mmCIF file with all atom_site columns, all heavy atoms in Angstrom:
data_model
loop_
_atom_site.group_PDB
_atom_site.id
_atom_site.type_symbol
_atom_site.label_atom_id
_atom_site.label_alt_id
_atom_site.label_comp_id
_atom_site.label_asym_id
_atom_site.label_entity_id
_atom_site.label_seq_id
_atom_site.pdbx_PDB_ins_code
_atom_site.Cartn_x
_atom_site.Cartn_y
_atom_site.Cartn_z
_atom_site.occupancy
_atom_site.B_iso_or_equiv
_atom_site.pdbx_formal_charge
_atom_site.auth_seq_id
_atom_site.auth_comp_id
_atom_site.auth_asym_id
_atom_site.auth_atom_id
_atom_site.pdbx_PDB_model_num
ATOM 1   N N   . ALA A 1 1  ? -41.818 1.381  81.810 1.00 82.00 ? 1  ALA A N   1
ATOM 2   C CA  . ALA A 1 1  ? -41.610 1.733  83.219 1.00 82.00 ? 1  ALA A CA  1
ATOM 3   C C   . ALA A 1 1  ? -42.904 1.610  84.010 1.00 82.00 ? 1  ALA A C   1
ATOM 4   O O   . ALA A 1 1  ? -43.988 1.502  83.449 1.00 82.00 ? 1  ALA A O   1
ATOM 5   C CB  . ALA A 1 1  ? -41.093 3.161  83.312 1.00 82.00 ? 1  ALA A CB  1
ATOM 6   N N   . ALA A 1 2  ? -42.752 1.668  85.314 1.00 78.00 ? 2  ALA A N   1
ATOM 7   C CA  . ALA A 1 2  ? -43.911 1.646  86.211 1.00 78.00 ? 2  ALA A CA  1
ATOM 8   C C   . ALA A 1 2  ? -44.795 2.864  85.951 1.00 78.00 ? 2  ALA A C   1
ATOM 9   O O   . ALA A 1 2  ? -44.322 3.907  85.475 1.00 78.00 ? 2  ALA A O   1
ATOM 10  C CB  . ALA A 1 2  ? -43.439 1.654  87.658 1.00 78.00 ? 2  ALA A CB  1
ATOM 11  N N   . ALA A 1 3  ? -46.055 2.743  86.256 1.00 79.00 ? 3  ALA A N   1
ATOM 12  C CA  . ALA A 1 3  ? -47.039 3.784  85.946 1.00 79.00 ? 3  ALA A CA  1
ATOM 13  C C   . ALA A 1 3  ? -46.702 5.140  86.555 1.00 79.00 ? 3  ALA A C   1
ATOM 14  O O   . ALA A 1 3  ? -47.001 6.171  85.962 1.00 79.00 ? 3  ALA A O   1
ATOM 15  C CB  . ALA A 1 3  ? -48.424 3.341  86.404 1.00 79.00 ? 3  ALA A CB  1
ATOM 16  N N   . GLU A 1 4  ? -46.080 5.181  87.710 1.00 84.00 ? 4  GLU A N   1
ATOM 17  C CA  . GLU A 1 4  ? -45.806 6.466  88.363 1.00 84.00 ? 4  GLU A CA  1
ATOM 18  C C   . GLU A 1 4  ? -44.544 7.159  87.847 1.00 84.00 ? 4  GLU A C   1
ATOM 19  O O   . GLU A 1 4  ? -44.279 8.295  88.191 1.00 84.00 ? 4  GLU A O   1
ATOM 20  C CB  . GLU A 1 4  ? -45.730 6.298  89.880 1.00 84.00 ? 4  GLU A CB  1
ATOM 21  C CG  . GLU A 1 4  ? -44.601 5.429  90.374 1.00 84.00 ? 4  GLU A CG  1
ATOM 22  C CD  . GLU A 1 4  ? -44.901 3.932  90.356 1.00 84.00 ? 4  GLU A CD  1
ATOM 23  O OE1 . GLU A 1 4  ? -46.022 3.525  90.016 1.00 84.00 ? 4  GLU A OE1 1
ATOM 24  O OE2 . GLU A 1 4  ? -43.997 3.170  90.687 1.00 84.00 ? 4  GLU A OE2 1
ATOM 25  N N   . ALA A 1 5  ? -43.764 6.507  87.007 1.00 90.00 ? 5  ALA A N   1
ATOM 26  C CA  . ALA A 1 5  ? -42.519 7.095  86.507 1.00 90.00 ? 5  ALA A CA  1
ATOM 27  C C   . ALA A 1 5  ? -42.768 7.938  85.257 1.00 90.00 ? 5  ALA A C   1
ATOM 28  O O   . ALA A 1 5  ? -43.264 7.450  84.256 1.00 90.00 ? 5  ALA A O   1
ATOM 29  C CB  . ALA A 1 5  ? -41.513 5.997  86.197 1.00 90.00 ? 5  ALA A CB  1
ATOM 30  N N   . LEU A 1 6  ? -42.433 9.227  85.348 1.00 92.00 ? 6  LEU A N   1
ATOM 31  C CA  . LEU A 1 6  ? -42.511 10.097 84.179 1.00 92.00 ? 6  LEU A CA  1
ATOM 32  C C   . LEU A 1 6  ? -41.173 10.090 83.444 1.00 92.00 ? 6  LEU A C   1
ATOM 33  O O   . LEU A 1 6  ? -41.119 10.194 82.230 1.00 92.00 ? 6  LEU A O   1
ATOM 34  C CB  . LEU A 1 6  ? -42.875 11.522 84.601 1.00 92.00 ? 6  LEU A CB  1
ATOM 35  C CG  . LEU A 1 6  ? -42.991 12.553 83.485 1.00 92.00 ? 6  LEU A CG  1
ATOM 36  C CD1 . LEU A 1 6  ? -44.080 12.162 82.477 1.00 92.00 ? 6  LEU A CD1 1
ATOM 37  C CD2 . LEU A 1 6  ? -43.281 13.926 84.062 1.00 92.00 ? 6  LEU A CD2 1
ATOM 38  N N   . TRP A 1 7  ? -40.091 9.970  84.186 1.00 94.00 ? 7  TRP A N   1
ATOM 39  C CA  . TRP A 1 7  ? -38.739 9.896  83.645 1.00 94.00 ? 7  TRP A CA  1
ATOM 40  C C   . TRP A 1 7  ? -38.092 8.608  84.122 1.00 94.00 ? 7  TRP A C   1
ATOM 41  O O   . TRP A 1 7  ? -38.189 8.258  85.295 1.00 94.00 ? 7  TRP A O   1
ATOM 42  C CB  . TRP A 1 7  ? -37.887 11.054 84.143 1.00 94.00 ? 7  TRP A CB  1
ATOM 43  C CG  . TRP A 1 7  ? -38.253 12.392 83.597 1.00 94.00 ? 7  TRP A CG  1
ATOM 44  C CD1 . TRP A 1 7  ? -39.185 13.258 84.107 1.00 94.00 ? 7  TRP A CD1 1
ATOM 45  C CD2 . TRP A 1 7  ? -37.696 13.029 82.455 1.00 94.00 ? 7  TRP A CD2 1
ATOM 46  N NE1 . TRP A 1 7  ? -39.234 14.386 83.343 1.00 94.00 ? 7  TRP A NE1 1
ATOM 47  C CE2 . TRP A 1 7  ? -38.327 14.279 82.318 1.00 94.00 ? 7  TRP A CE2 1
ATOM 48  C CE3 . TRP A 1 7  ? -36.718 12.669 81.525 1.00 94.00 ? 7  TRP A CE3 1
ATOM 49  C CZ2 . TRP A 1 7  ? -38.012 15.173 81.304 1.00 94.00 ? 7  TRP A CZ2 1
ATOM 50  C CZ3 . TRP A 1 7  ? -36.397 13.552 80.506 1.00 94.00 ? 7  TRP A CZ3 1
ATOM 51  C CH2 . TRP A 1 7  ? -37.046 14.791 80.406 1.00 94.00 ? 7  TRP A CH2 1
ATOM 52  N N   . VAL A 1 8  ? -37.414 7.915  83.224 1.00 95.00 ? 8  VAL A N   1
ATOM 53  C CA  . VAL A 1 8  ? -36.648 6.715  83.569 1.00 95.00 ? 8  VAL A CA  1
ATOM 54  C C   . VAL A 1 8  ? -35.284 6.851  82.914 1.00 95.00 ? 8  VAL A C   1
ATOM 55  O O   . VAL A 1 8  ? -35.191 7.129  81.719 1.00 95.00 ? 8  VAL A O   1
ATOM 56  C CB  . VAL A 1 8  ? -37.333 5.426  83.070 1.00 95.00 ? 8  VAL A CB  1
ATOM 57  C CG1 . VAL A 1 8  ? -36.488 4.205  83.391 1.00 95.00 ? 8  VAL A CG1 1
ATOM 58  C CG2 . VAL A 1 8  ? -38.714 5.284  83.664 1.00 95.00 ? 8  VAL A CG2 1
ATOM 59  N N   . ILE A 1 9  ? -34.240 6.662  83.702 1.00 95.00 ? 9  ILE A N   1
ATOM 60  C CA  . ILE A 1 9  ? -32.880 6.688  83.177 1.00 95.00 ? 9  ILE A CA  1
ATOM 61  C C   . ILE A 1 9  ? -32.240 5.373  83.570 1.00 95.00 ? 9  ILE A C   1
ATOM 62  O O   . ILE A 1 9  ? -32.227 5.012  84.752 1.00 95.00 ? 9  ILE A O   1
ATOM 63  C CB  . ILE A 1 9  ? -32.097 7.896  83.729 1.00 95.00 ? 9  ILE A CB  1
ATOM 64  C CG1 . ILE A 1 9  ? -32.839 9.185  83.348 1.00 95.00 ? 9  ILE A CG1 1
ATOM 65  C CG2 . ILE A 1 9  ? -30.664 7.892  83.210 1.00 95.00 ? 9  ILE A CG2 1
ATOM 66  C CD1 . ILE A 1 9  ? -32.605 10.344 84.225 1.00 95.00 ? 9  ILE A CD1 1
ATOM 67  N N   . ARG A 1 10 ? -31.743 4.635  82.574 1.00 94.00 ? 10 ARG A N   1
ATOM 68  C CA  . ARG A 1 10 ? -31.157 3.310  82.811 1.00 94.00 ? 10 ARG A CA  1
ATOM 69  C C   . ARG A 1 10 ? -29.779 3.226  82.185 1.00 94.00 ? 10 ARG A C   1
ATOM 70  O O   . ARG A 1 10 ? -29.560 3.718  81.090 1.00 94.00 ? 10 ARG A O   1
ATOM 71  C CB  . ARG A 1 10 ? -32.016 2.216  82.175 1.00 94.00 ? 10 ARG A CB  1
ATOM 72  C CG  . ARG A 1 10 ? -33.326 2.001  82.826 1.00 94.00 ? 10 ARG A CG  1
ATOM 73  C CD  . ARG A 1 10 ? -34.068 0.851  82.178 1.00 94.00 ? 10 ARG A CD  1
ATOM 74  N NE  . ARG A 1 10 ? -35.387 0.729  82.768 1.00 94.00 ? 10 ARG A NE  1
ATOM 75  C CZ  . ARG A 1 10 ? -36.439 0.251  82.138 1.00 94.00 ? 10 ARG A CZ  1
ATOM 76  N NH1 . ARG A 1 10 ? -36.328 -0.179 80.896 1.00 94.00 ? 10 ARG A NH1 1
ATOM 77  N NH2 . ARG A 1 10 ? -37.604 0.182  82.736 1.00 94.00 ? 10 ARG A NH2 1
ATOM 78  N N   . ALA A 1 11 ? -28.896 2.529  82.899 1.00 93.00 ? 11 ALA A N   1
ATOM 79  C CA  . ALA A 1 11 ? -27.580 2.190  82.359 1.00 93.00 ? 11 ALA A CA  1
ATOM 80  C C   . ALA A 1 11 ? -27.567 0.698  82.098 1.00 93.00 ? 11 ALA A C   1
ATOM 81  O O   . ALA A 1 11 ? -28.097 -0.087 82.889 1.00 93.00 ? 11 ALA A O   1
ATOM 82  C CB  . ALA A 1 11 ? -26.485 2.566  83.352 1.00 93.00 ? 11 ALA A CB  1
ATOM 83  N N   . TYR A 1 12 ? -26.970 0.335  80.965 1.00 92.00 ? 12 TYR A N   1
ATOM 84  C CA  . TYR A 1 12 ? -26.956 -1.064 80.544 1.00 92.00 ? 12 TYR A CA  1
ATOM 85  C C   . TYR A 1 12 ? -25.542 -1.614 80.491 1.00 92.00 ? 12 TYR A C   1
ATOM 86  O O   . TYR A 1 12 ? -24.606 -0.898 80.155 1.00 92.00 ? 12 TYR A O   1
ATOM 87  C CB  . TYR A 1 12 ? -27.584 -1.212 79.150 1.00 92.00 ? 12 TYR A CB  1
ATOM 88  C CG  . TYR A 1 12 ? -29.067 -1.000 79.143 1.00 92.00 ? 12 TYR A CG  1
ATOM 89  C CD1 . TYR A 1 12 ? -29.609 0.256  78.917 1.00 92.00 ? 12 TYR A CD1 1
ATOM 90  C CD2 . TYR A 1 12 ? -29.934 -2.056 79.365 1.00 92.00 ? 12 TYR A CD2 1
ATOM 91  C CE1 . TYR A 1 12 ? -30.978 0.458  78.911 1.00 92.00 ? 12 TYR A CE1 1
ATOM 92  C CE2 . TYR A 1 12 ? -31.310 -1.862 79.357 1.00 92.00 ? 12 TYR A CE2 1
ATOM 93  C CZ  . TYR A 1 12 ? -31.818 -0.611 79.126 1.00 92.00 ? 12 TYR A CZ  1
ATOM 94  O OH  . TYR A 1 12 ? -33.173 -0.420 79.124 1.00 92.00 ? 12 TYR A OH  1
ATOM 95  N N   . GLY A 1 13 ? -25.431 -2.899 80.783 1.00 87.00 ? 13 GLY A N   1
ATOM 96  C CA  . GLY A 1 13 ? -24.197 -3.649 80.567 1.00 87.00 ? 13 GLY A CA  1
ATOM 97  C C   . GLY A 1 13 ? -24.342 -4.331 79.227 1.00 87.00 ? 13 GLY A C   1
ATOM 98  O O   . GLY A 1 13 ? -24.459 -3.678 78.199 1.00 87.00 ? 13 GLY A O   1
ATOM 99  N N   . ASP A 1 14 ? -24.402 -5.640 79.236 1.00 79.00 ? 14 ASP A N   1
ATOM 100 C CA  . ASP A 1 14 ? -24.593 -6.397 77.997 1.00 79.00 ? 14 ASP A CA  1
ATOM 101 C C   . ASP A 1 14 ? -26.050 -6.373 77.578 1.00 79.00 ? 14 ASP A C   1
ATOM 102 O O   . ASP A 1 14 ? -26.936 -6.637 78.389 1.00 79.00 ? 14 ASP A O   1
ATOM 103 C CB  . ASP A 1 14 ? -24.159 -7.851 78.185 1.00 79.00 ? 14 ASP A CB  1
ATOM 104 C CG  . ASP A 1 14 ? -22.659 -7.978 78.285 1.00 79.00 ? 14 ASP A CG  1
ATOM 105 O OD1 . ASP A 1 14 ? -21.959 -7.149 77.683 1.00 79.00 ? 14 ASP A OD1 1
ATOM 106 O OD2 . ASP A 1 14 ? -22.187 -8.901 78.974 1.00 79.00 ? 14 ASP A OD2 1
ATOM 107 N N   . LEU A 1 15 ? -26.270 -6.053 76.336 1.00 75.00 ? 15 LEU A N   1
ATOM 108 C CA  . LEU A 1 15 ? -27.567 -6.045 75.683 1.00 75.00 ? 15 LEU A CA  1
ATOM 109 C C   . LEU A 1 15 ? -28.663 -5.479 76.571 1.00 75.00 ? 15 LEU A C   1
ATOM 110 O O   . LEU A 1 15 ? -28.730 -4.285 76.755 1.00 75.00 ? 15 LEU A O   1
ATOM 111 C CB  . LEU A 1 15 ? -27.920 -7.454 75.188 1.00 75.00 ? 15 LEU A CB  1
ATOM 112 C CG  . LEU A 1 15 ? -28.994 -7.532 74.109 1.00 75.00 ? 15 LEU A CG  1
ATOM 113 C CD1 . LEU A 1 15 ? -28.686 -6.627 72.938 1.00 75.00 ? 15 LEU A CD1 1
ATOM 114 C CD2 . LEU A 1 15 ? -29.162 -8.954 73.635 1.00 75.00 ? 15 LEU A CD2 1
ATOM 115 N N   . ASN A 1 16 ? -29.510 -6.302 77.165 1.00 81.00 ? 16 ASN A N   1
ATOM 116 C CA  . ASN A 1 16 ? -30.619 -5.805 77.982 1.00 81.00 ? 16 ASN A CA  1
ATOM 117 C C   . ASN A 1 16 ? -30.364 -5.942 79.473 1.00 81.00 ? 16 ASN A C   1
ATOM 118 O O   . ASN A 1 16 ? -31.297 -5.945 80.270 1.00 81.00 ? 16 ASN A O   1
ATOM 119 C CB  . ASN A 1 16 ? -31.910 -6.538 77.608 1.00 81.00 ? 16 ASN A CB  1
ATOM 120 C CG  . ASN A 1 16 ? -32.367 -6.154 76.216 1.00 81.00 ? 16 ASN A CG  1
ATOM 121 O OD1 . ASN A 1 16 ? -32.270 -4.995 75.831 1.00 81.00 ? 16 ASN A OD1 1
ATOM 122 N ND2 . ASN A 1 16 ? -32.840 -7.129 75.467 1.00 81.00 ? 16 ASN A ND2 1
ATOM 123 N N   . ASP A 1 17 ? -29.122 -6.055 79.884 1.00 89.00 ? 17 ASP A N   1
ATOM 124 C CA  . ASP A 1 17 ? -28.744 -6.193 81.284 1.00 89.00 ? 17 ASP A CA  1
ATOM 125 C C   . ASP A 1 17 ? -28.702 -4.812 81.936 1.00 89.00 ? 17 ASP A C   1
ATOM 126 O O   . ASP A 1 17 ? -27.763 -4.042 81.724 1.00 89.00 ? 17 ASP A O   1
ATOM 127 C CB  . ASP A 1 17 ? -27.390 -6.886 81.378 1.00 89.00 ? 17 ASP A CB  1
ATOM 128 C CG  . ASP A 1 17 ? -26.918 -7.063 82.799 1.00 89.00 ? 17 ASP A CG  1
ATOM 129 O OD1 . ASP A 1 17 ? -27.771 -7.211 83.700 1.00 89.00 ? 17 ASP A OD1 1
ATOM 130 O OD2 . ASP A 1 17 ? -25.691 -7.057 83.011 1.00 89.00 ? 17 ASP A OD2 1
ATOM 131 N N   . VAL A 1 18 ? -29.729 -4.473 82.720 1.00 92.00 ? 18 VAL A N   1
ATOM 132 C CA  . VAL A 1 18 ? -29.797 -3.167 83.380 1.00 92.00 ? 18 VAL A CA  1
ATOM 133 C C   . VAL A 1 18 ? -28.842 -3.161 84.571 1.00 92.00 ? 18 VAL A C   1
ATOM 134 O O   . VAL A 1 18 ? -28.961 -3.977 85.480 1.00 92.00 ? 18 VAL A O   1
ATOM 135 C CB  . VAL A 1 18 ? -31.242 -2.855 83.845 1.00 92.00 ? 18 VAL A CB  1
ATOM 136 C CG1 . VAL A 1 18 ? -31.283 -1.532 84.595 1.00 92.00 ? 18 VAL A CG1 1
ATOM 137 C CG2 . VAL A 1 18 ? -32.188 -2.835 82.663 1.00 92.00 ? 18 VAL A CG2 1
ATOM 138 N N   . LEU A 1 19 ? -27.882 -2.231 84.556 1.00 93.00 ? 19 LEU A N   1
ATOM 139 C CA  . LEU A 1 19 ? -26.937 -2.091 85.655 1.00 93.00 ? 19 LEU A CA  1
ATOM 140 C C   . LEU A 1 19 ? -27.532 -1.265 86.792 1.00 93.00 ? 19 LEU A C   1
ATOM 141 O O   . LEU A 1 19 ? -27.315 -1.556 87.958 1.00 93.00 ? 19 LEU A O   1
ATOM 142 C CB  . LEU A 1 19 ? -25.638 -1.435 85.172 1.00 93.00 ? 19 LEU A CB  1
ATOM 143 C CG  . LEU A 1 19 ? -24.855 -2.216 84.120 1.00 93.00 ? 19 LEU A CG  1
ATOM 144 C CD1 . LEU A 1 19 ? -23.658 -1.395 83.642 1.00 93.00 ? 19 LEU A CD1 1
ATOM 145 C CD2 . LEU A 1 19 ? -24.396 -3.551 84.691 1.00 93.00 ? 19 LEU A CD2 1
ATOM 146 N N   . TRP A 1 20 ? -28.226 -0.194 86.437 1.00 93.00 ? 20 TRP A N   1
ATOM 147 C CA  . TRP A 1 20 ? -28.930 0.621  87.427 1.00 93.00 ? 20 TRP A CA  1
ATOM 148 C C   . TRP A 1 20 ? -30.035 1.399  86.730 1.00 93.00 ? 20 TRP A C   1
ATOM 149 O O   . TRP A 1 20 ? -30.042 1.532  85.516 1.00 93.00 ? 20 TRP A O   1
ATOM 150 C CB  . TRP A 1 20 ? -27.989 1.553  88.197 1.00 93.00 ? 20 TRP A CB  1
ATOM 151 C CG  . TRP A 1 20 ? -27.194 2.522  87.373 1.00 93.00 ? 20 TRP A CG  1
ATOM 152 C CD1 . TRP A 1 20 ? -25.888 2.389  86.996 1.00 93.00 ? 20 TRP A CD1 1
ATOM 153 C CD2 . TRP A 1 20 ? -27.627 3.784  86.818 1.00 93.00 ? 20 TRP A CD2 1
ATOM 154 N NE1 . TRP A 1 20 ? -25.499 3.476  86.241 1.00 93.00 ? 20 TRP A NE1 1
ATOM 155 C CE2 . TRP A 1 20 ? -26.543 4.341  86.123 1.00 93.00 ? 20 TRP A CE2 1
ATOM 156 C CE3 . TRP A 1 20 ? -28.834 4.475  86.846 1.00 93.00 ? 20 TRP A CE3 1
ATOM 157 C CZ2 . TRP A 1 20 ? -26.628 5.574  85.473 1.00 93.00 ? 20 TRP A CZ2 1
ATOM 158 C CZ3 . TRP A 1 20 ? -28.925 5.702  86.184 1.00 93.00 ? 20 TRP A CZ3 1
ATOM 159 C CH2 . TRP A 1 20 ? -27.822 6.236  85.518 1.00 93.00 ? 20 TRP A CH2 1
ATOM 160 N N   . GLU A 1 21 ? -30.954 1.893  87.553 1.00 94.00 ? 21 GLU A N   1
ATOM 161 C CA  . GLU A 1 21 ? -32.089 2.655  87.030 1.00 94.00 ? 21 GLU A CA  1
ATOM 162 C C   . GLU A 1 21 ? -32.442 3.762  88.008 1.00 94.00 ? 21 GLU A C   1
ATOM 163 O O   . GLU A 1 21 ? -32.436 3.551  89.211 1.00 94.00 ? 21 GLU A O   1
ATOM 164 C CB  . GLU A 1 21 ? -33.285 1.729  86.833 1.00 94.00 ? 21 GLU A CB  1
ATOM 165 C CG  . GLU A 1 21 ? -34.543 2.443  86.380 1.00 94.00 ? 21 GLU A CG  1
ATOM 166 C CD  . GLU A 1 21 ? -35.697 1.485  86.182 1.00 94.00 ? 21 GLU A CD  1
ATOM 167 O OE1 . GLU A 1 21 ? -35.758 0.863  85.113 1.00 94.00 ? 21 GLU A OE1 1
ATOM 168 O OE2 . GLU A 1 21 ? -36.514 1.354  87.115 1.00 94.00 ? 21 GLU A OE2 1
ATOM 169 N N   . ALA A 1 22 ? -32.732 4.931  87.479 1.00 95.00 ? 22 ALA A N   1
ATOM 170 C CA  . ALA A 1 22 ? -33.242 6.053  88.274 1.00 95.00 ? 22 ALA A CA  1
ATOM 171 C C   . ALA A 1 22 ? -34.590 6.443  87.694 1.00 95.00 ? 22 ALA A C   1
ATOM 172 O O   . ALA A 1 22 ? -34.733 6.540  86.475 1.00 95.00 ? 22 ALA A O   1
ATOM 173 C CB  . ALA A 1 22 ? -32.277 7.233  88.219 1.00 95.00 ? 22 ALA A CB  1
ATOM 174 N N   . THR A 1 23 ? -35.578 6.627  88.548 1.00 94.00 ? 23 THR A N   1
ATOM 175 C CA  . THR A 1 23 ? -36.894 7.051  88.080 1.00 94.00 ? 23 THR A CA  1
ATOM 176 C C   . THR A 1 23 ? -37.304 8.324  88.800 1.00 94.00 ? 23 THR A C   1
ATOM 177 O O   . THR A 1 23 ? -36.908 8.562  89.937 1.00 94.00 ? 23 THR A O   1
ATOM 178 C CB  . THR A 1 23 ? -37.974 5.959  88.304 1.00 94.00 ? 23 THR A CB  1
ATOM 179 O OG1 . THR A 1 23 ? -38.068 5.697  89.704 1.00 94.00 ? 23 THR A OG1 1
ATOM 180 C CG2 . THR A 1 23 ? -37.638 4.696  87.558 1.00 94.00 ? 23 THR A CG2 1
ATOM 181 N N   . PHE A 1 24 ? -38.083 9.138  88.098 1.00 93.00 ? 24 PHE A N   1
ATOM 182 C CA  . PHE A 1 24 ? -38.567 10.393 88.639 1.00 93.00 ? 24 PHE A CA  1
ATOM 183 C C   . PHE A 1 24 ? -40.047 10.505 88.332 1.00 93.00 ? 24 PHE A C   1
ATOM 184 O O   . PHE A 1 24 ? -40.483 10.180 87.228 1.00 93.00 ? 24 PHE A O   1
ATOM 185 C CB  . PHE A 1 24 ? -37.814 11.580 88.025 1.00 93.00 ? 24 PHE A CB  1
ATOM 186 C CG  . PHE A 1 24 ? -36.336 11.530 88.255 1.00 93.00 ? 24 PHE A CG  1
ATOM 187 C CD1 . PHE A 1 24 ? -35.494 10.957 87.311 1.00 93.00 ? 24 PHE A CD1 1
ATOM 188 C CD2 . PHE A 1 24 ? -35.789 12.043 89.418 1.00 93.00 ? 24 PHE A CD2 1
ATOM 189 C CE1 . PHE A 1 24 ? -34.123 10.907 87.515 1.00 93.00 ? 24 PHE A CE1 1
ATOM 190 C CE2 . PHE A 1 24 ? -34.418 11.999 89.631 1.00 93.00 ? 24 PHE A CE2 1
ATOM 191 C CZ  . PHE A 1 24 ? -33.578 11.425 88.681 1.00 93.00 ? 24 PHE A CZ  1
ATOM 192 N N   . THR A 1 25 ? -40.817 10.991 89.278 1.00 90.00 ? 25 THR A N   1
ATOM 193 C CA  . THR A 1 25 ? -42.255 11.144 89.095 1.00 90.00 ? 25 THR A CA  1
ATOM 194 C C   . THR A 1 25 ? -42.570 12.486 88.443 1.00 90.00 ? 25 THR A C   1
ATOM 195 O O   . THR A 1 25 ? -41.681 13.330 88.263 1.00 90.00 ? 25 THR A O   1
ATOM 196 C CB  . THR A 1 25 ? -43.000 11.079 90.445 1.00 90.00 ? 25 THR A CB  1
ATOM 197 O OG1 . THR A 1 25 ? -42.634 12.225 91.218 1.00 90.00 ? 25 THR A OG1 1
ATOM 198 C CG2 . THR A 1 25 ? -42.683 9.796  91.196 1.00 90.00 ? 25 THR A CG2 1
ATOM 199 N N   . GLU A 1 26 ? -43.836 12.700 88.149 1.00 88.00 ? 26 GLU A N   1
ATOM 200 C CA  . GLU A 1 26 ? -44.248 13.951 87.508 1.00 88.00 ? 26 GLU A CA  1
ATOM 201 C C   . GLU A 1 26 ? -44.074 15.155 88.417 1.00 88.00 ? 26 GLU A C   1
ATOM 202 O O   . GLU A 1 26 ? -44.097 16.293 87.960 1.00 88.00 ? 26 GLU A O   1
ATOM 203 C CB  . GLU A 1 26 ? -45.686 13.855 87.028 1.00 88.00 ? 26 GLU A CB  1
ATOM 204 C CG  . GLU A 1 26 ? -46.697 13.635 88.123 1.00 88.00 ? 26 GLU A CG  1
ATOM 205 C CD  . GLU A 1 26 ? -48.090 13.394 87.575 1.00 88.00 ? 26 GLU A CD  1
ATOM 206 O OE1 . GLU A 1 26 ? -48.227 12.968 86.423 1.00 88.00 ? 26 GLU A OE1 1
ATOM 207 O OE2 . GLU A 1 26 ? -49.042 13.646 88.324 1.00 88.00 ? 26 GLU A OE2 1
ATOM 208 N N   . GLU A 1 27 ? -43.875 14.943 89.695 1.00 86.00 ? 27 GLU A N   1
ATOM 209 C CA  . GLU A 1 27 ? -43.680 16.062 90.628 1.00 86.00 ? 27 GLU A CA  1
ATOM 210 C C   . GLU A 1 27 ? -42.219 16.473 90.760 1.00 86.00 ? 27 GLU A C   1
ATOM 211 O O   . GLU A 1 27 ? -41.913 17.469 91.406 1.00 86.00 ? 27 GLU A O   1
ATOM 212 C CB  . GLU A 1 27 ? -44.241 15.695 92.010 1.00 86.00 ? 27 GLU A CB  1
ATOM 213 C CG  . GLU A 1 27 ? -45.739 15.439 92.002 1.00 86.00 ? 27 GLU A CG  1
ATOM 214 C CD  . GLU A 1 27 ? -46.542 16.591 91.408 1.00 86.00 ? 27 GLU A CD  1
ATOM 215 O OE1 . GLU A 1 27 ? -46.239 17.769 91.700 1.00 86.00 ? 27 GLU A OE1 1
ATOM 216 O OE2 . GLU A 1 27 ? -47.470 16.323 90.636 1.00 86.00 ? 27 GLU A OE2 1
ATOM 217 N N   . THR A 1 28 ? -41.301 15.729 90.169 1.00 89.00 ? 28 THR A N   1
ATOM 218 C CA  . THR A 1 28 ? -39.884 16.064 90.252 1.00 89.00 ? 28 THR A CA  1
ATOM 219 C C   . THR A 1 28 ? -39.594 17.254 89.341 1.00 89.00 ? 28 THR A C   1
ATOM 220 O O   . THR A 1 28 ? -39.913 17.208 88.148 1.00 89.00 ? 28 THR A O   1
ATOM 221 C CB  . THR A 1 28 ? -39.017 14.866 89.804 1.00 89.00 ? 28 THR A CB  1
ATOM 222 O OG1 . THR A 1 28 ? -39.367 13.727 90.577 1.00 89.00 ? 28 THR A OG1 1
ATOM 223 C CG2 . THR A 1 28 ? -37.536 15.176 89.981 1.00 89.00 ? 28 THR A CG2 1
ATOM 224 N N   . PRO A 1 29 ? -39.014 18.317 89.874 1.00 89.00 ? 29 PRO A N   1
ATOM 225 C CA  . PRO A 1 29 ? -38.689 19.460 89.017 1.00 89.00 ? 29 PRO A CA  1
ATOM 226 C C   . PRO A 1 29 ? -37.746 19.050 87.883 1.00 89.00 ? 29 PRO A C   1
ATOM 227 O O   . PRO A 1 29 ? -36.773 18.327 88.095 1.00 89.00 ? 29 PRO A O   1
ATOM 228 C CB  . PRO A 1 29 ? -38.014 20.442 89.965 1.00 89.00 ? 29 PRO A CB  1
ATOM 229 C CG  . PRO A 1 29 ? -38.559 20.075 91.316 1.00 89.00 ? 29 PRO A CG  1
ATOM 230 C CD  . PRO A 1 29 ? -38.714 18.577 91.279 1.00 89.00 ? 29 PRO A CD  1
ATOM 231 N N   . THR A 1 30 ? -38.042 19.508 86.692 1.00 89.00 ? 30 THR A N   1
ATOM 232 C CA  . THR A 1 30 ? -37.228 19.175 85.528 1.00 89.00 ? 30 THR A CA  1
ATOM 233 C C   . THR A 1 30 ? -35.793 19.646 85.714 1.00 89.00 ? 30 THR A C   1
ATOM 234 O O   . THR A 1 30 ? -34.859 19.031 85.213 1.00 89.00 ? 30 THR A O   1
ATOM 235 C CB  . THR A 1 30 ? -37.842 19.786 84.260 1.00 89.00 ? 30 THR A CB  1
ATOM 236 O OG1 . THR A 1 30 ? -39.200 19.376 84.173 1.00 89.00 ? 30 THR A OG1 1
ATOM 237 C CG2 . THR A 1 30 ? -37.114 19.334 83.019 1.00 89.00 ? 30 THR A CG2 1
#
């Protein structure tokens, strides 16, 4: 993931086909 992303959540279609991605920084409350 990009350097500023502490959390990355990805949904996949076929194999490595990313359907969507959500990223959260270190300041996002857990």
Side-chain angles (χ1 to χ4, degrees):
E4 64 276 357
L6 180 60
W7 290 87
V8 178
I9 302 155
R10 291 183 184 151
Y12 289 91
D14 288 330
L15 199 52
N16 291 321
D17 180 31
V18 177
L19 297 175
W20 58 260
E21 176 179 278
T23 61
F24 301 94
T25 67
E26 62 186 23
E27 297 306 318
T28 305
T30 306

